Amino acid sequence: MITRDINLAKRALDNNEIIAIPTETVYGLAANAYSEKAVEKIFALKERPFYNPLIVHIKSADFLDNVARDIPDVAQTLANEFWPGPLTLVLKKQSSIPDLVTAGKDTVAIRVPNHPVSLSLLEQLEFPLAAPSANPFGSISPTTASHVYGYFADDLDVILEGGECEKGLESTIIGFENNQPIVYRLGSLSIEDIERKIGKVRSKTHDDTAPSAPGMLSRHYAPATKSYLTDDVEKLISVHPNKKIGLLLFQNEIKNSAVTHQEILSKSGDLTEAAKKLYAAMHQLDKLNLDLIIAEKFPDVGLGKTINDKLERATV
Ligand code: TXA
Ligand code: MG
């Protein structure tokens, strides 16, 4: 059920049930992070492999010591600067965090979500919330309560309504190796914004053999419809005659009668707006029984880098 009742959400979580919560990035599937019994239900509902660890959501940076230890100075700097916000830090874990949450790793991923509903819920709870995105493993992340309902229907007693997600793409994940920050997943905080605060950071965002963050798997967040990413949309249309084609475009519509449907992400060419709309447009295209989706490459700067990364993983 989709509801605005935070008390209902609290009661379910206190009873080791799982619920969906809104965040500024995407909706999450949340459980008491200290309860293996509750966290197990997330893996079962998402059909998520146990090797893929979860993000722990805390109510403020002041709570960090309860879940992490040996925090590098640069991590503290990032937490102070960007929390609440779309940045996840991977740090050495405290023993309070069960192995199930971290997939047996000695590190835990942590963030403070920047959404009034979830912050108010976290304030009222005695525990942090383990929450992956609220979608079946491998499919597109939800940016509205109705996307979540579309995936799980009444398997979830509580889907907390929090409106359309303001950012629309997952958090950016940073880990630390020898106290040096490393980007594990591109997300809705741009690398440029991070580097403005702490200087140059290295990236390790593609790794199919031993992913540090399984968001790194080359194929992820995929629509069910066969999808392509290209610099030359017109050319790709021309090599697929007599097909039902949907387009995912940045700014400008394409005049071509062979096209069934077009999603334009930002008429004004604003990458922040495009990021916010990306997943909803992918959900929309996926519902139209198209033969294929053709997505256009975005400018490779700021959030354009994150959008291209998501599109690369969603396409063949
Ligand atoms: O924006 C977000 O981050 C959303 C909202 C709900 O907060 N959550 C989200 O969770 O995207 P999920 O589970 O879909 O992605 C979490 C990513 C995974 O790729 C996982 O592998 C990585 O975080 N991760 C979690 N713990 C980790 C750890 N200890 N080391 C490295 N990566 C980790
Ligand atoms: Mg996810």
Side-chain angles (χ1 to χ4, degrees):
M1 175 176 86
I2 298 179
T3 174
R4 292 180 186 276
D5 188 344
I6 292 190
N7 291 326
L8 212 59
K10 175 173 161 38
R11 209 172 317 140
L13 291 166
D14 285 339
N15 285 331
N16 279 330
E17 295 302 330
I18 60 175
I19 67 164
I21 58 166
T23 82
E24 81 282 30
T25 58
V26 299
Y27 276 70
L29 211 51
N32 175 354
Y34 294 153
S35 162
E36 295 225 357
K37 188 175 158 214
V39 170
E40 253 174 30
K41 294 179 184 170
I42 294 179
F43 284 92
L45 186 62
K46 260 187 85 98
E47 296 181 33
R48 180 173 174 118
F50 286 110
Y51 63 73
N52 195 347
L54 307 179
I55 296 176
V56 171
H57 296 68
I58 59 175
K59 59 186 166 192
S60 78
D62 296 337
F63 194 81
L64 188 53
D65 290 332
N66 295 77
V67 289
R69 59 187 170 80
D70 305 337
I71 299 161
D73 289 345
V74 61
Q76 195 62 58
T77 303
L78 288 169
N80 296 344
E81 177 73 15
F82 294 112
W83 284 354
L87 174 69
T88 294
L89 299 175
V90 177
L91 298 166
K92 286 266 182 301
K93 85 178 191 78
Q94 288 284 12
S95 55
S96 58
I97 302 295
D99 285 339
L100 187 59
V101 170
T102 63
K105 289 169 180 276
D106 67 345
T107 54
V108 58
I110 304 158
R111 80 180 192 98
V112 181
N114 190 14
H115 192 291
V117 171
S118 290
L119 284 175
S120 149
L121 175 64
L122 281 166
E123 273 302 329
Q124 295 173 44
L125 296 171
E126 308 281 317
F127 44 79
L129 291 173
S133 51
N135 52 282
F137 185 66
S139 50
I140 308 164
S141 294
T143 56
T144 62
S146 67
H147 289 158
V148 180
Y149 188 82
Y151 281 137
F152 300 115
D154 295 319
D155 285 346
L156 285 173
D157 288 339
V158 178
I159 299 172
L160 257 190
E161 176 62 76
E164 188 188 347
C165 297
E166 183 202 331
K167 300 288 181 189
L169 296 174
E170 293 86 347
S171 61
T172 302
I173 303 183
I174 305 258
F176 301 88
E177 295 176 18
N178 303 317
N179 285 338
Q180 296 303 307
I182 298 183
V183 181
Y184 288 155
R185 179 176 76 181
L186 296 175
S188 58
L189 181 64
S190 74
I191 300 307
E192 287 87 338
D193 282 347
I194 292 169
E195 291 186 333
R196 225 167 278 133
K197 190 68 196 169
I198 59 167
K200 206 86 197 129
V201 290
R202 285 199 294 134
S203 285
K204 267 196 198 171
T205 54
H206 283 84
D207 191 342
D208 273 343
T209 49
S212 306
M216 295 164 122
L217 293 172
S218 301
R219 192 164 165 74
H220 206 63
Y221 319 113
T225 314
K226 196 162 199 180
S227 305
Y228 300 88
L229 178 64
T230 178
D231 284 323
D232 193 342
V233 175
E234 294 275 10
K235 182 162 166 220
L236 214 53
I237 295 170
S238 70
V239 297
H240 290 96
N242 308 316
K243 297 274 192 220
K244 273 180 80 180
I245 299 176
L247 302 181
L248 185 57
L249 305 170
F250 181 22
Q251 264 187 281
N252 300 312
E253 204 175 303
I254 284 185
K255 300 246 177 321
N256 189 320
S257 58
V259 174
T260 306
H261 184 85
Q262 315 198 19
E263 288 284 329
I264 313 290
L265 296 186
S266 173
K267 288 209 161 83
S268 65
D270 175 3
L271 287 169
T272 305
E273 182 187 16
K276 178 173 178 172
K277 292 189 177 161
L278 177 68
Y279 288 155
M282 283 163 70
H283 278 281
Q284 181 57 30
L285 285 162
D286 217 14
K287 281 200 300 210
L288 299 175
N289 289 319
L290 299 164
D291 296 315
L292 67 150
I293 297 170
I294 300 174
E296 164 177 58
K297 267 235 167 81
F298 278 64
D300 210 32
V301 292
L303 291 181
K305 282 194 194 126
T306 306
I307 294 172
N308 284 335
D309 180 74
K310 304 296 175 196
L311 288 173
E312 272 160 22
R313 293 173 208 265
T315 51
V316 290

